[in-house]
Amino acid sequence: MPMKKPAKESGRRGSATSSVVAGTDAPDASQMPIRGFSRSLPMALLRAREAVMRHFRVPLRAHGLTEQQWRILRALTSFESIEVTELARVAYLLGPSLSRILRDLEERRLIERRTLKADLRRGIVSITPKGLRLIEAVAPSSEAIYAEITRRYGADRLAELQDLLHALETSLADMPLPNGDSVADENDASL
Amino acid sequence: MPMKKPAKESGRRGSATSSVVAGTDAPDASQMPIRGFSRSLPMALLRAREAVMRHFRVPLRAHGLTEQQWRILRALTSFESIEVTELARVAYLLGPSLSRILRDLEERRLIERRTLKADLRRGIVSITPKGLRLIEAVAPSSEAIYAEITRRYGADRLAELQDLLHALETSLADMPLPNGDSVADENDASL
DNA sequence: CGTTTTCATTTAACATGTTAATCATATTTG
DNA sequence: CAAATATGATTAACATGTTAAATGAAAACG
């Protein structure tokens, strides 16, 4: 059940996240509300990612590409053709986002689609020559930025960071999600 | 000028499942396009963040909050009141997003707004008792999840990761953005 | 074999990210 | 002070994230 909303007033929904952390900030000691906040891990990851991405956005946008479109085109250069589901996994996009982006990229003739004859549910995607030329046009700037980031941060630290990030993913891979048997919203009587 | 915006008729079909195809990248050796891709730093940061956040999303959503709404409410618990611009900085949100979210949170009576009499352009935001109760209702789950993540990953590695992430931000803080003197889109003649 | 179930993808609906433009108020200048 | 400029916040417009539902096709069942 979708949980409507006239698109006018407020709205609910959501996703969510965030959290906590450890600490060295917070007012004093009366009762830290939750925890450091500015040291929350999701926030730290978000800030670090933005610090990196804001550099890549410039050349991408100059070529009319978003970050996600770039991820898809780049992934496609690694395969002669690839099924949509596999592409979603490789480019790390959710199905609905991928669907929309593929529609756009197809209209721009940067990719082509067909269906697997053996299973008409499955879509096969491949990059076009035009798409390849676009990739080649953007790649130099992209590589230069990556090189400068590596130079500034240090190749060693970068490798260590990548290791720690991957280890984090691995550590949480089999962590069960919470039950979610809680109240529905802030209008709950208990509030 | 925004990006593009086709929107036409339907589209495709198909899909794909695991099975065949290669592992993660690189077809063979014909010409490695750009870089490992799956090793890109932005991707690693994105994946790590998602690995963490998907756990927090459950309890937040159960309380009708998105991650960003939670960040704002949590930030507000650290201040008696705060200016909108400062809140944007603390909660790490862009102005337009913050504007929309504040409108919603105000309608839900989770925050209150007024304007600074000395400068009518500036808005002042504060959390309501209802907002505080909501925070208190969500905090336990949030803390429990953070604790479990810390337990699995290790407090030491977590601290090291935070240090590396912060160092990355610092390293790139004064890196100049590219010039962006490139072509406008893929229809450029040079393609 | 027809019905049910599963699967791959897309569409729907809403919230946020992102860049540009607009509005109102303040500040600076001529 | 009036006009120009700067600043804080919001609105506009489009793209993506996110969850749920719908669609169409294949597999499982009975």
Short mmCIF file of all heavy atoms in Angstrom, two decimals, chain B residues 39-73:
data_model
loop_
_atom_site.label_atom_id
_atom_site.label_comp_id
_atom_site.label_asym_id
_atom_site.label_seq_id
_atom_site.Cartn_x
_atom_site.Cartn_y
_atom_site.Cartn_z
N ARG B 39 36.94 -0.06 -8.33
CA ARG B 39 37.88 0.42 -7.33
C ARG B 39 37.82 1.93 -7.19
O ARG B 39 38.65 2.53 -6.51
CB ARG B 39 39.31 0.07 -7.75
CG ARG B 39 39.55 -1.41 -7.70
CD ARG B 39 41.03 -1.71 -7.68
NE ARG B 39 41.21 -3.15 -7.79
CZ ARG B 39 41.80 -3.71 -8.81
NH1 ARG B 39 42.33 -2.96 -9.75
NH2 ARG B 39 41.92 -5.00 -8.87
N SER B 40 36.91 2.55 -7.87
CA SER B 40 36.88 4.01 -7.78
C SER B 40 36.53 4.43 -6.36
O SER B 40 35.72 3.79 -5.67
CB SER B 40 35.88 4.58 -8.77
OG SER B 40 34.62 4.74 -8.19
N LEU B 41 37.17 5.47 -5.93
CA LEU B 41 36.97 5.95 -4.56
C LEU B 41 35.52 6.38 -4.30
O LEU B 41 34.95 6.00 -3.28
CB LEU B 41 37.96 7.07 -4.26
CG LEU B 41 37.90 7.67 -2.86
CD1 LEU B 41 38.11 6.61 -1.79
CD2 LEU B 41 38.93 8.78 -2.72
N PRO B 42 34.93 7.16 -5.18
CA PRO B 42 33.53 7.55 -4.93
C PRO B 42 32.63 6.32 -4.78
O PRO B 42 31.73 6.29 -3.93
CB PRO B 42 33.15 8.35 -6.18
CG PRO B 42 34.44 8.90 -6.68
CD PRO B 42 35.46 7.83 -6.39
N MET B 43 32.87 5.32 -5.59
CA MET B 43 32.07 4.11 -5.49
C MET B 43 32.29 3.40 -4.17
O MET B 43 31.33 2.93 -3.53
CB MET B 43 32.43 3.18 -6.65
CG MET B 43 31.56 1.96 -6.73
SD MET B 43 29.87 2.34 -7.20
CE MET B 43 29.95 2.03 -8.96
N ALA B 44 33.52 3.32 -3.74
CA ALA B 44 33.82 2.65 -2.46
C ALA B 44 33.15 3.38 -1.30
O ALA B 44 32.61 2.76 -0.38
CB ALA B 44 35.33 2.59 -2.25
N LEU B 45 33.17 4.71 -1.36
CA LEU B 45 32.53 5.49 -0.30
C LEU B 45 31.02 5.31 -0.33
O LEU B 45 30.37 5.20 0.71
CB LEU B 45 32.90 6.98 -0.47
CG LEU B 45 34.36 7.33 -0.19
CD1 LEU B 45 34.71 8.71 -0.73
CD2 LEU B 45 34.66 7.25 1.32
N LEU B 46 30.48 5.27 -1.53
CA LEU B 46 29.04 5.07 -1.67
C LEU B 46 28.61 3.72 -1.13
O LEU B 46 27.63 3.61 -0.38
CB LEU B 46 28.67 5.18 -3.16
CG LEU B 46 27.20 5.03 -3.52
CD1 LEU B 46 26.37 6.13 -2.89
CD2 LEU B 46 27.03 5.02 -5.03
N ARG B 47 29.35 2.70 -1.48
CA ARG B 47 29.01 1.35 -1.03
C ARG B 47 29.12 1.21 0.47
O ARG B 47 28.27 0.60 1.12
CB ARG B 47 29.90 0.32 -1.73
CG ARG B 47 29.70 0.26 -3.23
CD ARG B 47 30.66 -0.74 -3.88
NE ARG B 47 30.39 -2.08 -3.43
CZ ARG B 47 29.64 -2.96 -4.11
NH1 ARG B 47 29.14 -2.62 -5.27
NH2 ARG B 47 29.43 -4.16 -3.63
N ALA B 48 30.16 1.78 1.03
CA ALA B 48 30.35 1.71 2.47
C ALA B 48 29.22 2.43 3.19
O ALA B 48 28.67 1.95 4.18
CB ALA B 48 31.71 2.30 2.86
N ARG B 49 28.87 3.60 2.67
CA ARG B 49 27.81 4.36 3.32
C ARG B 49 26.48 3.60 3.27
O ARG B 49 25.75 3.54 4.25
CB ARG B 49 27.66 5.72 2.65
CG ARG B 49 26.62 6.58 3.33
CD ARG B 49 26.73 8.05 2.94
NE ARG B 49 26.05 8.86 3.93
CZ ARG B 49 24.75 9.16 3.86
NH1 ARG B 49 24.02 8.73 2.87
NH2 ARG B 49 24.20 9.89 4.81
N GLU B 50 26.20 3.01 2.13
CA GLU B 50 24.96 2.26 2.01
C GLU B 50 24.95 1.06 2.94
O GLU B 50 23.92 0.73 3.54
CB GLU B 50 24.75 1.82 0.57
CG GLU B 50 23.54 0.94 0.34
CD GLU B 50 22.24 1.57 0.82
OE1 GLU B 50 22.15 2.81 0.91
OE2 GLU B 50 21.30 0.79 1.14
N ALA B 51 26.09 0.41 3.10
CA ALA B 51 26.18 -0.75 3.99
C ALA B 51 25.80 -0.35 5.42
O ALA B 51 25.17 -1.11 6.15
CB ALA B 51 27.59 -1.33 3.96
N VAL B 52 26.17 0.87 5.79
CA VAL B 52 25.86 1.36 7.13
C VAL B 52 24.41 1.83 7.22
O VAL B 52 23.63 1.43 8.08
CB VAL B 52 26.80 2.53 7.51
CG1 VAL B 52 26.37 3.15 8.83
CG2 VAL B 52 28.24 2.03 7.60
N MET B 53 24.03 2.67 6.25
CA MET B 53 22.74 3.31 6.32
C MET B 53 21.56 2.41 6.20
O MET B 53 20.49 2.73 6.73
CB MET B 53 22.64 4.30 5.21
CG MET B 53 23.58 5.39 5.41
SD MET B 53 22.66 6.82 5.59
CE MET B 53 21.96 6.85 4.02
N ARG B 54 21.69 1.33 5.52
CA ARG B 54 20.49 0.53 5.33
C ARG B 54 19.96 0.02 6.66
O ARG B 54 18.77 -0.25 6.80
CB ARG B 54 20.74 -0.59 4.32
CG ARG B 54 21.43 -1.77 4.78
CD ARG B 54 21.89 -2.65 3.61
NE ARG B 54 22.65 -3.77 4.12
CZ ARG B 54 22.11 -4.96 4.42
NH1 ARG B 54 20.83 -5.17 4.23
NH2 ARG B 54 22.86 -5.92 4.91
N HIS B 55 20.82 -0.06 7.66
CA HIS B 55 20.36 -0.49 8.98
C HIS B 55 19.59 0.62 9.69
O HIS B 55 18.60 0.37 10.34
CB HIS B 55 21.57 -0.92 9.82
CG HIS B 55 22.29 -2.09 9.25
ND1 HIS B 55 21.85 -3.38 9.39
CD2 HIS B 55 23.41 -2.17 8.49
CE1 HIS B 55 22.67 -4.21 8.76
NE2 HIS B 55 23.63 -3.50 8.21
N PHE B 56 20.07 1.83 9.56
CA PHE B 56 19.40 2.94 10.24
C PHE B 56 18.05 3.28 9.61
O PHE B 56 17.17 3.83 10.26
CB PHE B 56 20.29 4.18 10.23
CG PHE B 56 21.49 4.05 11.14
CD1 PHE B 56 22.75 3.85 10.61
CD2 PHE B 56 21.34 4.11 12.51
CE1 PHE B 56 23.86 3.72 11.44
CE2 PHE B 56 22.43 3.97 13.35
CZ PHE B 56 23.70 3.78 12.81
N ARG B 57 17.94 3.00 8.32
CA ARG B 57 16.71 3.37 7.63
C ARG B 57 15.48 2.70 8.22
O ARG B 57 14.40 3.26 8.22
CB ARG B 57 16.83 3.01 6.15
CG ARG B 57 16.97 4.23 5.29
CD ARG B 57 17.17 3.86 3.84
NE ARG B 57 18.37 4.50 3.34
CZ ARG B 57 19.33 3.89 2.74
NH1 ARG B 57 19.28 2.59 2.54
NH2 ARG B 57 20.38 4.54 2.34
N VAL B 58 15.64 1.51 8.72
CA VAL B 58 14.49 0.76 9.23
C VAL B 58 13.82 1.47 10.41
O VAL B 58 12.63 1.80 10.32
CB VAL B 58 14.90 -0.68 9.62
CG1 VAL B 58 13.71 -1.43 10.18
CG2 VAL B 58 15.48 -1.40 8.39
N PRO B 59 14.52 1.72 11.51
CA PRO B 59 13.84 2.37 12.63
C PRO B 59 13.39 3.79 12.31
O PRO B 59 12.34 4.23 12.79
CB PRO B 59 14.89 2.37 13.74
CG PRO B 59 16.20 2.20 13.06
CD PRO B 59 15.92 1.39 11.84
N LEU B 60 14.15 4.51 11.51
CA LEU B 60 13.75 5.88 11.17
C LEU B 60 12.44 5.87 10.40
O LEU B 60 11.52 6.63 10.69
CB LEU B 60 14.84 6.58 10.37
CG LEU B 60 16.04 7.02 11.20
CD1 LEU B 60 17.11 7.63 10.32
CD2 LEU B 60 15.60 8.04 12.25
N ARG B 61 12.37 5.01 9.42
CA ARG B 61 11.17 4.94 8.62
C ARG B 61 9.98 4.51 9.46
O ARG B 61 8.86 4.94 9.24
CB ARG B 61 11.38 3.96 7.47
CG ARG B 61 10.30 4.08 6.41
CD ARG B 61 10.77 3.48 5.09
NE ARG B 61 9.79 3.40 4.05
CZ ARG B 61 8.61 3.98 4.03
NH1 ARG B 61 8.23 4.70 5.04
NH2 ARG B 61 7.81 3.84 3.02
N ALA B 62 10.23 3.66 10.43
CA ALA B 62 9.15 3.23 11.32
C ALA B 62 8.60 4.41 12.10
O ALA B 62 7.47 4.38 12.56
CB ALA B 62 9.67 2.15 12.27
N HIS B 63 9.38 5.44 12.25
CA HIS B 63 8.91 6.63 12.97
C HIS B 63 8.58 7.77 11.99
O HIS B 63 8.41 8.90 12.41
CB HIS B 63 9.98 7.10 13.95
CG HIS B 63 10.08 6.23 15.17
ND1 HIS B 63 9.26 6.39 16.27
CD2 HIS B 63 10.88 5.18 15.47
CE1 HIS B 63 9.57 5.48 17.18
NE2 HIS B 63 10.54 4.73 16.73
N GLY B 64 8.51 7.46 10.72
CA GLY B 64 8.12 8.47 9.75
C GLY B 64 9.16 9.52 9.45
O GLY B 64 8.83 10.64 9.07
N LEU B 65 10.42 9.15 9.63
CA LEU B 65 11.49 10.13 9.38
C LEU B 65 12.42 9.65 8.27
O LEU B 65 12.68 8.46 8.13
CB LEU B 65 12.32 10.34 10.64
CG LEU B 65 11.68 11.11 11.80
CD1 LEU B 65 12.63 11.12 12.99
CD2 LEU B 65 11.36 12.54 11.36
N THR B 66 12.88 10.60 7.50
CA THR B 66 13.93 10.29 6.54
C THR B 66 15.27 10.57 7.20
O THR B 66 15.34 11.19 8.26
CB THR B 66 13.83 11.17 5.29
OG1 THR B 66 14.06 12.52 5.67
CG2 THR B 66 12.47 11.05 4.64
N GLU B 67 16.30 10.14 6.55
CA GLU B 67 17.63 10.37 7.09
C GLU B 67 17.91 11.86 7.28
O GLU B 67 18.44 12.28 8.30
CB GLU B 67 18.66 9.79 6.12
CG GLU B 67 20.07 10.09 6.51
CD GLU B 67 21.01 10.00 5.31
OE1 GLU B 67 20.62 9.43 4.28
OE2 GLU B 67 22.14 10.52 5.43
N GLN B 68 17.51 12.65 6.31
CA GLN B 68 17.80 14.08 6.37
C GLN B 68 16.99 14.78 7.45
O GLN B 68 17.48 15.66 8.13
CB GLN B 68 17.52 14.71 5.00
CG GLN B 68 18.48 14.28 3.89
CD GLN B 68 18.14 12.92 3.32
OE1 GLN B 68 17.14 12.29 3.68
NE2 GLN B 68 18.98 12.44 2.40
N GLN B 69 15.73 14.35 7.58
CA GLN B 69 14.89 14.92 8.64
C GLN B 69 15.49 14.60 10.00
O GLN B 69 15.53 15.45 10.89
CB GLN B 69 13.46 14.35 8.54
CG GLN B 69 12.73 14.82 7.27
CD GLN B 69 11.47 14.02 6.99
OE1 GLN B 69 11.19 12.99 7.63
NE2 GLN B 69 10.68 14.47 6.02
N TRP B 70 15.97 13.41 10.14
CA TRP B 70 16.61 12.99 11.38
C TRP B 70 17.87 13.81 11.66
O TRP B 70 18.12 14.26 12.77
CB TRP B 70 16.94 11.50 11.29
CG TRP B 70 17.79 10.94 12.40
CD1 TRP B 70 19.06 10.47 12.29
CD2 TRP B 70 17.40 10.75 13.76
NE1 TRP B 70 19.49 10.00 13.50
CE2 TRP B 70 18.50 10.16 14.44
CE3 TRP B 70 16.25 11.02 14.50
CZ2 TRP B 70 18.47 9.84 15.79
CZ3 TRP B 70 16.23 10.71 15.85
CH2 TRP B 70 17.33 10.12 16.48
N ARG B 71 18.65 14.04 10.62
CA ARG B 71 19.86 14.84 10.80
C ARG B 71 19.52 16.24 11.30
O ARG B 71 20.19 16.78 12.18
CB ARG B 71 20.62 14.98 9.46
CG ARG B 71 21.37 13.75 9.05
CD ARG B 71 22.69 14.08 8.35
NE ARG B 71 22.58 14.94 7.19
CZ ARG B 71 22.45 14.48 5.94
NH1 ARG B 71 22.41 13.19 5.69
NH2 ARG B 71 22.38 15.33 4.94
N ILE B 72 18.47 16.81 10.75
CA ILE B 72 18.07 18.16 11.15
C ILE B 72 17.59 18.17 12.59
O ILE B 72 18.04 19.00 13.40
CB ILE B 72 16.97 18.68 10.20
CG1 ILE B 72 17.56 18.94 8.82
CG2 ILE B 72 16.34 19.95 10.77
CD1 ILE B 72 16.53 19.25 7.76
N LEU B 73 16.69 17.27 12.92
CA LEU B 73 16.17 17.24 14.28
C LEU B 73 17.30 17.00 15.28
O LEU B 73 17.36 17.63 16.34
CB LEU B 73 15.09 16.16 14.43
CG LEU B 73 13.77 16.42 13.69
CD1 LEU B 73 12.81 15.27 13.90
CD2 LEU B 73 13.15 17.75 14.16
#
